[in-house]
Amino acid sequence: MVNNSDKARILKEEFLEISRERPVDCLQCGKCSASCQAAKEMDFMPHQLVRMFHKNQIDQVMETDAIWACASCFTCGARCPRDIDLARMMETARVLYLRSNHKNLIDENEIAALNKKGLPPQAIVAGYRKFAK
Amino acid sequence: MSKIGVFICWCGSNISETVDIEKTKAALEGLPALDYIEDYQYLCSEIGQKKIADAIKNKNLSGVVVASCSPRMHEDTFRNAAEDAGLNPYLLEIANIREHCSWVHSNKEKATEKSVALIRAAINKVKHNQPLTPGSIPVNKRALVIGGGIAGIQSAIDIAEAGYQVDIVERTPSIGGKMAQIDKTFPTLDCSACILTPKMVEASRHENIKLHTYSEVARVDGYVGNFDVEIKKKPRSIDEDKCTGCGICLEKCPGKAPSEFEEGLNERNAIYTPFPQAVPNIPTIDRDNCIKFEKDKCGLCARVCPTDAINFNQEENIIEEKYGIIITATGYQLTDPDQFGEYHYNNPDVITGMEFERIINAAGPTGGKLQRPSNSEKPDRVVFVQCVGSRDKARGHSHCSKICCMYTAKQAMLIREKYPETEVYVFYIDIRTAGKGFEEFQRRAQEDYGVNYVKGMVGKVFPGKDKLRVEAIDAMTGEFLELDSDLVILSPAAIPDQKAGDVSRQLGISQGASGFFTEAHPKLKPVETQTAGIFLAGACQGPKDIPETVAQASGAAAKAIGILSKDSLVNNPCVAEVNQADCSSCFSCKEVCPYSAIEKDETEKHGMVARVNEALCQGCGACTVTCRSSTINLKGFSNKEILSEVDAICL
């Protein structure tokens, strides 16, 4: 079933905003899964994850092992007949997971101080990206 | 003094429900130009038409406005009625108060106001309308068919049977096209060549059909009824009148090249006929691979020819001919699977569906035995891959190639029929078998022939030491599959012939997505193009199977005969007209004209100025808005007429 709860829809919106990919384009041909070198290690296959994204089941995707088995090799996106970059979706699921499960690594108020301390801005941005919420 | 009558139609209640007819009439009645006003429930009915005709006669009207549905619907009906009553049909205007008013509004008061405005505009326009008379153009009673596949052959035979001369121009040395290469047809499993060759022979023997094989269209000028065409006859290096088709030259020739007809699976000689039933049965010398042309040695064919028909000095020949109509039947080709690196098409055991047709054909390179091209062994496992470049907007084409699901089912069954011990897998995205008897046919492959259909795509074909390892998934179960297979058969996307772009430019017809020729209307004009007198037949318009191709070819022929049977054609009088005295000779109009209807005219009085070829002009009006000196007018839609309409609404 398509998950139409408010929570699921908010998560879907967030997912679409971060990934900039459209699960609705998917034909479910399975090319991504057949091309995936990590598919054998996954509890859900890549094309099944796209289907779950499409059905607003982002919270379920976030709980899979599959998103962590993804090696970000981008073969799926390179061969997708619908021009969907599945690796971006996978990364989005990981980002959403990290954001929802962890406290901020960096306190917003500390940024100015860290900056002064000479911490490279890239490091601050990277830390902030993962644990923003 | 113009006397104008207005007729308001209720269209049952389609109009009258939203537009207050009485109020509309009342609002119009005071207009000075208005002489007569009437309303009726169905003006398009015979009674309604009679009301208009009677009013024209009795009230001596000089212009009529019919407030009703879209002019696309009934303009012709009302104009014919006016003409019968003695009024020039172009003095009747439609005010569209249905599609433009009642259907799109719900507020009755405002809709009524709008319908009054629309009718006033039409009244203002009709005051300025000029009577127009269609001109006539003569028709050359000869047809040109470009492409000699089954589509071109069928069109040509149909036109020839109706008694008109037809020329077929075919690029390759023989007519027959793709259908000649195919082994069996679905869903009846007829022998393709057996049903095609009688038609090829009929085309070559027909007294009204002339074949130009090994020829191409070099130039097309003119317009419906009067196309001027140059046909380039490439040098065959054989004197066609002397050759008897004995074939002795073919046996002796030492030059070799991959056979196009056999999809490169074996070699042909440099002097060759593409296949034994080729029409005409006259060999061709492939100069690129002939030793005589390469090194000026050999010449064996000339020495053995009993009729002295070999002519190494033959030159390209340009034939000029006039035609009334042109049928485009340039067909399709398969996309090159090389661009999908993951399938390793460069491996000899990875082939296309068309290569398989040749392998399984009794007259083919293996004599009909299913063999791996690499080692001539019988395969134990065959994997079919669907949608190679079809439904693939990223690397291929977004369209569905339509024929692959069915020919794959056929090929899979042919394998299982001849070699029951060979395992067959078909990997697909969706199975599409819309067509008479098609679904039943495809189910037989699964139910009766034990073909393994797996929903899922192949990710990779990896050539191993001996076998090809196919990595794929079963999308239904989520299972990752690795199959060692002996032969992989791809279904590449069907795309327009490589020369379709050239033909499109020569003829001035447009190509849509994926390059297929665009029909004039997807529902109601499926064989016409936007250019009058040019018709489409077969897979050049979109992927088609044989029966659809034949049906469309006959449809195109019927349309062609409709034109050829006339001595002259009536052209639409609503064409552009240049006031040459005011033309600034910028020729912006010539550039925007989609029909190449504007010509440079060298006049004594005004120098080089624009002129409209009325036979080519379709009345789109692009030139009138481009013209910097506003000197081009579209008859029936002149600037004066349009502006007076605007005045009626705005002032």
Side-chain angles (χ1 to χ4, degrees):
Chain A
M1 274 292 285
V2 178
N3 188 345
N4 272 327
S5 70
D6 286 346
K7 199 182 148 209
R9 276 196 292 207
I10 291 166
L11 202 54
K12 173 77 170 280
E13 264 172 44
E14 212 172 335
F15 166 82
L16 293 175
E17 199 188 322
I18 298 172
S19 70
R20 306 262 167 194
E21 293 294 322
R22 292 156 40 101
V24 67
D25 288 349
C26 177
L27 281 179
Q28 285 292 308
C29 72
K31 185 90 188 176
C32 47
S33 301
S35 304
C36 180
Q37 291 312 300
K40 275 180 269 186
E41 314 301 325
M42 292 180 174
D43 47 355
F44 287 90
M45 297 205 104
H47 74 280
Q48 292 173 320
L49 296 179
V50 184
R51 184 81 186 130
M52 287 156 82
F53 285 131
H54 179 53
K55 290 165 74 183
N56 301 357
Q57 295 165 349
I58 318 273
D59 50 343
Q60 275 161 266
V61 178
M62 282 156 59
E63 295 304 322
T64 61
D65 292 334
I67 57 171
W68 304 104
C70 166
S72 296
C73 71
F74 300 106
T75 311
C76 47
R79 293 188 185 162
C80 174
R82 310 302 295 173
D83 223 357
I84 298 171
D85 194 344
L86 177 53
R88 282 181 74 102
M89 293 189 180
M90 292 288 217
E91 172 66 4
T92 305
R94 291 191 291 264
V95 165
L96 288 172
Y97 178 86
L98 290 170
R99 284 182 180 182
S100 65
N101 285 277
H102 293 264
K103 287 179 186 163
N104 287 354
L105 183 69
I106 301 170
D107 190 330
E108 262 179 86
N109 304 317
E110 288 173 23
I111 291 178
L114 287 170
N115 223 347
K116 242 182 209 170
K117 225 167 119 185
L119 200 67
Q122 290 95 326
I124 302 173
V125 171
Y128 209 71
R129 181 187 74 96
K130 277 190 176 167
F131 308 112
K133 281 193 180 168
Chain B
M1 180 62 194
S2 54
K3 294 179 81 178
I4 289 163
V6 171
F7 298 84
I8 303 172
C9 182
W10 302 8
C11 194
S13 60
N14 271 303
I15 292 171
S16 58
E17 200 162 77
T18 324
V19 172
D20 191 321
I21 305 284
E22 283 310 312
K23 276 189 185 166
T24 307
K25 275 174 76 175
L28 292 167
E29 247 152 17
L31 289 177
L34 192 64
D35 224 61
Y36 183 75
I37 190 160
E38 191 172 354
D39 63 289
Y40 187 62
Q41 196 167 10
Y42 289 109
L43 278 178
C44 58
S45 66
E46 271 188 34
I47 303 169
Q49 291 180 52
K50 194 166 178 297
K51 280 179 185 290
I52 298 173
D54 288 348
I56 290 171
K57 282 183 209 154
N58 300 336
K59 306 279 169 186
N60 206 13
L61 298 177
S62 64
V64 172
V65 170
V66 180
S68 60
C69 51
S70 161
R72 277 183 169 260
M73 208 76 181
H74 276 306
E75 190 178 65
D76 282 348
T77 313
F78 296 129
R79 283 189 167 172
N80 289 340
E83 194 171 19
D84 290 346
L87 185 73
N88 184 290
Y90 294 89
L91 298 176
L92 181 143
E93 281 296 325
I94 302 280
N96 181 0
I97 59 166
R98 193 178 77 174
E99 282 85 344
H100 284 181
C101 190
S102 72
W103 273 0
V104 288
H105 299 300
S106 51
N107 183 327
K108 193 163 182 174
E109 199 181 320
K110 290 196 166 170
T112 305
E113 227 174 275
K114 183 172 173 182
S115 80
V116 171
L118 290 172
I119 296 168
R120 282 184 57 206
I123 293 172
N124 251 17
K125 174 163 191 278
V126 87
K127 277 197 284 192
H128 297 286
N129 275 15
Q130 298 294 321
L132 300 174
T133 318
S136 84
I137 35 180
V139 178
N140 278 296
K141 293 185 179 283
R142 194 181 187 91
L144 172 66
V145 175
I146 306 174
I150 179 61
I153 293 172
Q154 184 65 44
S155 289
I157 291 175
D158 287 351
I159 297 171
E161 280 293 298
Y164 302 100
Q165 299 289 320
V166 191
D167 290 358
I168 299 179
V169 174
E170 165 61 39
R171 189 177 63 214
T172 69
S174 170
I175 58 169
K178 292 274 189 291
M179 189 177 168
Q181 288 180 276
I182 293 169
D183 179 48
K184 296 274 191 301
T185 61
F186 59 75
T188 47
L189 298 181
D190 283 309
C191 157
S192 182
C194 313
I195 56 176
L196 174 69
T197 45
K199 284 202 180 271
M200 290 164 63
V201 172
E202 191 184 344
S204 79
R205 292 228 175 122
H206 204 292
E207 54 176 12
N208 287 342
I209 299 179
K210 198 166 161 193
L211 299 181
H212 295 291
T213 50
Y214 207 51
S215 304
E216 285 175 38
V217 171
R219 185 182 59 83
V220 179
D221 278 331
Y223 45 87
V224 57
N226 297 275
F227 290 107
D228 284 313
V229 180
E230 269 182 21
I231 297 163
K232 183 173 78 183
K233 239 177 144 56
K234 294 180 277 188
R236 256 195 146 96
S237 313
I238 311 283
D239 190 331
E240 294 187 24
D241 296 330
K242 287 186 189 166
C243 177
T244 59
C246 69
I248 295 174
C249 52
L250 307 179
E251 291 162 19
K252 303 288 178 194
C253 176
K256 295 274 180 276
S259 162
E260 294 85 0
F261 185 79
E262 301 295 354
E263 292 288 315
L265 290 166
N266 66 1
E267 290 187 322
R268 57 160 171 80
N269 297 330
I271 184 165
Y272 70 108
T273 46
F275 53 103
Q277 305 98 317
V279 171
N281 186 24
I282 297 169
T284 304
I285 294 181
D286 167 11
R287 293 187 172 184
D288 294 335
N289 292 294
C290 171
I291 298 169
K292 176 77 180 169
F293 284 94
E294 271 175 9
K295 297 178 187 147
D296 199 22
K297 283 178 190 158
C298 188
L300 214 55
C301 48
R303 261 178 275 154
V304 297
C305 178
T307 60
D308 204 16
I310 311 278
N311 177 4
F312 294 117
N313 301 319
Q314 205 174 50
E315 280 175 15
E316 193 176 281
N317 188 12
I318 300 278
I319 303 166
E320 275 187 64
E321 190 66 73
K322 278 185 180 296
Y323 299 99
I325 65 96
I326 298 175
I327 290 180
T328 319
T330 50
Y332 74 103
Q333 64 179 35
L334 297 180
T335 194
D336 183 2
D338 265 339
Q339 57 182 308
F340 303 91
E342 71 266 28
Y343 297 126
H344 280 95
Y345 179 59
N346 52 10
N347 186 289
D349 293 334
V350 181
I351 61 172
T352 65
M354 193 54 104
E355 287 169 50
F356 177 82
E357 293 289 339
R358 295 315 304 153
I359 289 176
I360 206 76
N361 188 287
T366 62
K369 281 199 207 78
L370 180 62
Q371 291 176 352
R372 304 179 69 188
S374 63
N375 59 8
S376 302
E377 278 173 20
K378 185 175 75 64
D380 295 327
R381 184 184 276 156
V382 179
V383 169
F384 284 91
V385 183
Q386 300 294 282
C387 298
V388 177
S390 303
R391 307 180 72 191
D392 184 337
K393 66 178 183 184
R395 291 185 295 164
H397 304 273
S398 57
H399 69 265
C400 163
S401 294
K402 197 175 184 180
I403 49 177
C404 327
C405 284
M406 285 300 288
Y407 77 64
T408 297
K410 172 196 76 181
Q411 294 176 346
M413 277 193 265
L414 288 176
I415 295 176
R416 294 283 295 165
E417 171 89 35
K418 278 192 178 177
Y419 308 94
E421 64 287 356
T422 296
E423 233 186 335
V424 178
Y425 281 84
V426 178
F427 286 93
Y428 67 93
I429 301 176
D430 295 292
I431 295 179
R432 296 178 165 175
T433 54
K436 200 166 145 191
F438 285 13
E439 174 67 15
E440 294 84 344
F441 181 80
Q442 190 277 328
R443 286 307 308 169
R444 260 168 60 204
Q446 268 171 285
E447 293 169 16
D448 301 344
Y449 286 84
V451 178
N452 300 305
Y453 271 78
V454 184
K455 183 172 167 57
M457 277 303 274
V458 168
K460 196 175 186 181
V461 175
F462 194 75
K465 209 169 164 196
D466 174 39
K467 306 255 174 184
L468 298 160
R469 197 167 71 158
V470 176
E471 292 182 0
I473 59 145
D474 183 333
M476 305 300 252
T477 60
E479 192 184 350
F480 196 86
L481 307 171
E482 285 167 300
L483 303 166
D484 281 328
S485 82
D486 302 296
L487 192 62
V488 171
I489 303 172
L490 309 175
S491 294
I495 55 172
D497 184 87
Q498 48 175 341
K499 292 277 180 81
D502 295 346
V503 174
S504 138
R505 277 184 292 280
Q506 281 172 340
L507 297 179
I509 58 177
S510 54
Q511 291 175 287
S514 308
F516 291 107
F517 295 137
T518 315
E519 59 285 340
H521 188 284
K523 303 276 172 214
L524 299 176
K525 288 185 174 179
V527 303
E528 291 97 323
T529 63
Q530 292 288 4
T531 308
I534 299 181
F535 304 102
L536 303 174
C540 63
Q541 184 224 1
K544 279 189 190 64
D545 61 19
I546 295 166
E548 277 184 314
T549 296
V550 172
Q552 197 191 16
S554 288
K559 290 282 171 190
I561 294 164
I563 291 177
L564 295 173
S565 64
K566 294 192 176 88
D567 291 323
S568 64
L569 295 172
V570 173
N571 68 345
N572 173 14
C574 295
V575 292
E577 184 181 39
V578 183
N579 178 358
Q580 294 190 326
D582 287 348
C583 175
S584 64
S585 312
C586 70
F587 293 107
S588 304
C589 50
K590 191 171 158 58
E591 272 163 44
V592 297
C593 178
Y595 307 101
S596 315
I598 296 185
E599 297 159 356
K600 290 184 178 178
D601 189 14
E602 184 66 64
T603 61
E604 259 181 46
K605 230 174 160 183
H606 312 295
M608 182 79 89
V609 286
R611 186 171 66 90
V612 176
N613 181 330
E614 296 200 350
L616 285 178
C617 178
Q618 304 285 316
C620 72
C623 54
T624 64
V625 289
T626 310
C627 181
R628 295 172 191 182
S629 42
S630 298
T631 186
I632 307 186
N633 261 310
L634 187 59
K635 290 188 210 167
F637 299 90
S638 69
N639 293 343
K640 200 168 153 193
E641 287 162 4
I642 302 284
L643 286 173
S644 60
E645 272 189 287
V646 177
D647 283 349
I649 293 171
C650 302
L651 294 181

